[in-house]
């Protein structure tokens, strides 16, 4: 059994609505429903009465709700107790980061911070976007670094969480270069000859970005799925083997583009790409949860640097 199943079930009891709970848990409704079913399978009994609307618990679900609250409290209490004993942790920054950014953005970012700010002891947790957000919400990390797009936002309460934009990332189509150093596949393809498509799984954040690209594409793209994974690095390796077109973050293919192993497969068109923010989040310090001093100093440094780079508004002569 996974802890997140308990959290999902408790959320469902509190909202009485699968869609609302799925949104609060930063997961699609089908994925949320599967996790509730996984919990039921593990317990060997139904917790939710699916013959009624709105959502209602079975007698077993009513009994298990109290048990779930108690189990989760015990688990979190044990975790907090153990973490409080890690004196060295006060000088270390725990980062929750999606897999792609952990390989492309984080190494260079930390190296630059060592030069501009100070040496940093860090612990990185590379997970998917959903689990990275949960790490922050549940107190499992100090900082969350992730992608963000207005049409697929990371929904964190701005009254509780601070945010900084650290950069921008472009997601585009790439394919292997042939001996003439041109891409072997080029968008848009045709209805009769669709292009082999290396795609993300449905629960991958970048997969949702690709869905936006495909939905907005004019003219439409003709692609035939050939391979699927939730990691950009896996799609890149398949693209390097010449297996098809993959939509990849620009930072993930910098070396391959320079060495002419991969090339843009979109005729350099901006119609088939999307830009995302690279954002950093922290829980805002409070009297109850002050946070680590090292995290506060780093945040102040990054915030000051961002303010210095922000363009200043020119004051009209009439206002001087």
């Amino acid at each position: 059994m996974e802890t997140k199943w308990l959290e999902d079930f408790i959320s469902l009891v509190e909202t009485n609505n699968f869609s609302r709970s799925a949104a609060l848990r930063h997961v699609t409704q089908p994925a949320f429903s599967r996790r509730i079913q996984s919990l039921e399978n593990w317990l060997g009994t139904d917790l939710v009465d699916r013959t009624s609307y709105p959502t209602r618990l079975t007698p077993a679900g009513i009994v298990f709700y109290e048990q779930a609250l108690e189990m989760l409290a015990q688990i979190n209490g044990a975790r907090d107790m153990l973490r409080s004993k890690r004196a060295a942790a006060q000088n270390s920054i725990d980062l929750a980061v999606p897999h792609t950014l952990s390989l492309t953005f984080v190494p260079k970012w930390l190296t630059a911070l060592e030069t501009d700010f100070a040496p940093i002891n860090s612990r990185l947790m590379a997970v998917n976007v959903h689990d990275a957000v949960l790490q922050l919400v549940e107190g499992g990390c100090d900082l969350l670094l992730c992608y963000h797009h207005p049409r697929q936002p990371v929904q964190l309460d701005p009254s509780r969480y601070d945010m900084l934009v650290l950069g921008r990332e472009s997601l585009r189509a790439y394919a292997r270069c042939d001996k003439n150093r041109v891409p072997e596949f080029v968008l848009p393809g045709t209805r009769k000859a669709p292009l082999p498509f290396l795609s993300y799984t449905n629960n991958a954040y970048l997969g949702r970005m690709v869905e936006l690209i495909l939905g907005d594409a004019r003219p439409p793209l003709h692609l035939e799925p050939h391979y699927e994974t939730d990691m950009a690095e896996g799609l890149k390796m398949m693209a390097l083997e010449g297996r098809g077109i993959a939509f990849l973050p620009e930072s993930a293919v910098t070396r391959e583009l320079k060495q002419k192993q991969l090339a843009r497969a979109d005729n350099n068109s901006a119609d088939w790409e999307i830009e995302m923010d690279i954002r950093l989040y922290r829980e805002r310090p409070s009297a109850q949860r002050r946070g680590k001093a090292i995290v506060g100093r780093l945040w102040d440094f990054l915030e000051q640097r961002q303010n210095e780079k922000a363009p200043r508004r020119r004051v009209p002569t009439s206002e001087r």
Side-chain angles (χ1 to χ4, degrees), residues 98 128-130 146-154 171 200-212 230 276-277:
N128 60 43
V129 172
H130 168 260
C146 63
Y147 291 124
H148 179 278
H149 189 275
R151 294 168 65 185
Q152 190 63 49
V154 173
L171 187 69
Y200 296 94
T201 54
N202 291 334
N203 63 343
Y205 185 87
L206 293 181
R208 296 173 187 172
M209 293 295 97
V210 173
E211 290 176 3
L212 293 179
D230 60 352
M276 305 167 288
D277 284 344

Side-chain angles (χ1 to χ4, degrees), residues 93-97 101-102 106 110 122-127:
I93 297 178
D94 294 337
L95 290 160
V97 186
L101 286 172
S102 73
V106 170
L110 289 178
S122 58
R123 185 172 71 97
L124 187 143
M125 294 166 279
V127 291

Side-chain angles (χ1 to χ4, degrees), residues 14 48 127 131 171 265 307:
E14 292 173 348
V48 180
V127 291
D131 289 344
L171 187 69
N307 291 336

